[in-house]
Structures are given as structure tokens and as C-alpha cells.
Amino acid sequence: MQESELKTVATLVRELIENVISEYSYVDIELQSFPSGACEVSSVILGLYLKENYELKIVQSVGKRSALDDEYSNNNHVWLTVNDSIIVDITADQFDDCSSKVFVGSNSGFHNTFEIYDTRPLDFSYLIRRGSEGYGKVYKEVVSRMAST
């Protein structure tokens, strides 16, 4: 899959996540202020879709950095790394120093500001939340809408 096609799919998935959030009367906390605080859930939704529909090696990359406005606080952020080299991030615009809604590329000054401290496999179980419908319903709706595009 070329970066341009990956960006097209990532952009559409982000748009569909935003549409689903706006149509639901309630979504769990991590999606309520999308894109802020939604990086992990959104990455899992996109990553599972990509994994199920394309032959790609995908992991979540988890990074941290000092907050730009408070040296004593950290910002954490999650994005996808595809085939060991391509960064795919559909929520980077939650940070003031990144204006791109969707970033797909091999080199990113923004992502280089984060120290990667973990990489995680994608797992649907992350989308399930005890006591609520969780994010599985959002994922299934996004997949359904992707199938009709």
C-alpha cells in the first residue's frame, strides 16, 4: 500500500469517526472531545480496519514528551507505525504544534518530539469497556460505512 492510499484511507476513517461521534447521543469519555484525548482509541479503530483489509504490519507507538507549557508535566500520544517505518496519525492536531489533521509519512518533526516508550499490538479487546458499549460499536459503525464507500 502506497503512502498516498494509506493517507486516503486514514482521512476517511477519521472523517467517519467524527461523523459517528456527532450522531451518537453518547460516546465514552475518550471520544467526547475528539481529537483531544482520543489518540489511542482512534489508532486502534484505524489500525484494526487496516489490519483486516490490507496486508500490513501495524503497531501502536506510544510516546511521551514534556508539555510545551509546563516542563513538569508530560504529554502522552499514540499513533500507528506501519511496516516498521510509516507513521500514521489521525489525531495529531490535538496538539498546538501540529496542524495536520491526518499525518502519514516516514519522517515527522512533530513525532520526533516524543520519546517512544512502548509499542503495542492491535487488539479489539481494547475497544470494549466494562459497563458500557465502549468503542466497539463505533468501530463496527466505521467499518460498515467504509464498506459502503
Side-chain angles (χ1 to χ4, degrees), residues 100-123:
S100 178
K101 280 185 162 187
V102 174
F103 178 85
V104 176
S106 300
N107 189 18
S108 166
F110 168 73
H111 292 89
N112 289 340
T113 66
F114 289 86
E115 171 193 341
I116 296 174
Y117 67 90
D118 194 13
T119 56
R120 302 176 188 158
L122 296 164
D123 191 299

Side-chain angles (χ1 to χ4, degrees), residues 130-145:
R130 192 174 171 161
S132 76
E133 291 189 52
Y135 305 105
K137 182 178 175 183
V138 175
Y139 171 75
K140 290 174 184 172
E141 185 62 29
V142 168
V143 169
S144 173
R145 293 181 189 195

Side-chain angles (χ1 to χ4, degrees), residues 47 66 76 91 107:
S66 294
N76 289 308
T91 61
N107 189 18

Side-chain angles (χ1 to χ4, degrees), residues 73-92:
S73 296
N74 283 329
N75 289 135
N76 289 308
H77 188 45
V78 180
W79 61 89
L80 299 176
T81 301
V82 177
N83 295 338
D84 296 319
S85 63
I86 302 170
I87 297 166
V88 180
D89 190 341
I90 61 173
T91 61

Side-chain angles (χ1 to χ4, degrees), residues 93-106:
D93 60 325
Q94 69 182 292
F95 296 94
D96 291 337
D97 56 327
C98 187
S99 60
S100 178
K101 280 185 162 187
V102 174
F103 178 85
V104 176
S106 300

